[in-house]
Amino acid sequence: MESPRFKEAAVEGLNNKHLRMALARSREGFIGGRQRAIDLVPEFERLREEARSIKNHVLDNLDHYLERYEAAVTAAGGHVHWARDAAEARQIVLDICRRVGARTITKGKSMVSEEIGLNPALIEAGYEVVETDLGEYIIQLANEPPSHVVGPALHKTREQVSELFAEHHQRPLKTGIPELVAEAREMLREKFFRADVGITGGNFLIAETGTSVIVTNEGNGDLSQTLPRVHIVTSGIERVLPNLDDLSVLLRVLARSATGQDTETYTTLSTGPRRPGDPDGPEEYHVVLVDNGRSQMLGGRFREMLRCIRCGACLNHCPVYGSIGGHAYGWVYPGPMGSVLTPLMQGLDNAYDLPNACTLNGRCGSVCPVKIPLPEMLRELRHLQHRNRLGPRLQYRALGLWRWVALRPGLYQFGNRLAARMLAWMGGKRRRIGSLPIANGWTAMRDLPAPEGQTFIEQWQAQRGKQS
Ligand code: SF4
């Protein structure tokens, strides 16, 4: 967890020209793509509202739908495992892999497996773990965490990927995207055939049928779950939906919000292991349902965060994320959704800077397909941090002083007049202040416009005098 060094990491991000180039390219694609896709669906706002109420209904009845889901999975011949936290989830997966004598494990993209730190645990236990989503494969080679919930390697330029592949594949450098994709496919194919266990996430879980659903653009998830002898799904408990009709609503908002597609290339539904007569599929089917702080969230004021379907739209529209990238946030979930989830899951003090790294422009909330009030939640987290005195001591002293002065209107207005005149004097003829100790975060990068030399009240009174 690197969130405590957010400020240094943000500066590193701002100074990384490759990152800035990669972010600028992807931002244009994501934002424009989403807009074009939703413009073609006049009922998109209605779908958002419907998606929101489906998720709210599930959260209101989560125990019921989870039990129903477990019963349906069991009836289909699968196994459901309940994990209270990350350690339990890792242990469950390790136990399954050990019991079935696994050696090679292929993985589809799963943010929950990142959240529970699954890869390091499997590798430490001696398994060969291969990420098969192209973005995840790239960052596995680069030994980096994902920087985006939909595009894990979005921070990398094509040139960087070319060099990475040439180094790890021991092949001549390739520069074209189709050639790079073909090379990754060739490398992965043999792993797919060798894998004993396939691990995928679960975008949605259907209570009525016991089905896990993944949406991908590469088909790697399908190969990870159908070719190995054992398929393990890792998913958060909040991903359950009542039935397939509800799924169709969520799928319609997910793809458009995430990648600007009408639908992802592959939407794969898996129900239990291979049945007699099935041409393919795993012999064992397991679902690890991870709580890891979600029950606590369910009972608290941040319950609405559990509606999140990890589409990434809030990241794509966030100017802070768009400037510093995902790694600066220091944990699995970056951007606005991460600035809410990380403090809730890793501690308000461990992620102090995250809720504060926000301009409160409101775009994240306005694009969220399930209408999560992210700006309000970020404000609420700031409020909690303030109440628990988690900020720098100087900040509370300064606020205390400000409060003391603000309760004395005469003194407050005198201070304002004095400050307005001093700042006007400091601005000189240019009317700009190049350096100001109490605002050096601002003046380090740009000039501060100097005020007129009068307070707002003075200007307003003067204006009123002219009008009367
Ligand atoms: S908070 Fe909303 S916009 Fe952000 S990832 Fe989750 S569902 Fe998507």
Side-chain angles (χ1 to χ4, degrees), residues 149 305 307-315 337 364 367-370 372 374:
V149 291
M305 197 60 218
R307 290 206 297 266
C308 178
I309 53 173
R310 311 289 192 260
C311 73
C314 58
L315 280 62
M337 52 89 85
C364 51
V367 297
C368 176
V370 282
I372 298 175
L374 290 158

Side-chain angles (χ1 to χ4, degrees), residues 86 90 107-120 131 133 135-137 139-140 144-149 152 199 201 234 292 331-333 346:
R90 287 194 298 268
K107 282 187 72 228
K109 193 163 85 57
S110 157
M111 292 312 289
V112 165
S113 86
E114 299 282 349
E115 179 188 316
I116 61 174
L118 189 56
N119 281 15
E131 292 288 352
D133 171 89
E136 291 280 352
Y137 177 66
I139 59 167
Q140 189 181 27
E144 289 174 11
S147 67
H148 189 283
V149 291
I199 301 178
T234 53
N292 206 25
W331 197 51
V332 188
Y333 301 116
Q346 298 286 320

Side-chain angles (χ1 to χ4, degrees), residues 170-232:
Q170 309 280 310
R171 298 269 179 98
L173 191 98
K174 297 194 176 65
T175 50
I177 289 178
E179 290 80 25
L180 289 167
V181 172
E183 188 171 298
R185 186 178 288 145
E186 194 189 325
M187 294 289 155
L188 287 171
R189 189 137 302 239
E190 175 250 335
K191 310 279 184 195
F192 280 125
F193 287 121
R194 208 147 43 105
D196 316 283
V197 172
I199 301 178
T200 66
N203 288 86
F204 302 103
L205 308 169
I206 311 302
E208 192 178 42
T209 55
T211 302
S212 56
V213 184
I214 54 167
V215 290
T216 66
N217 274 322
E218 297 161 22
N220 64 301
D222 301 33
L223 294 173
S224 296
Q225 62 185 36
T226 46
L227 293 179
R229 281 183 288 126
V230 180
H231 176 202
I232 305 175

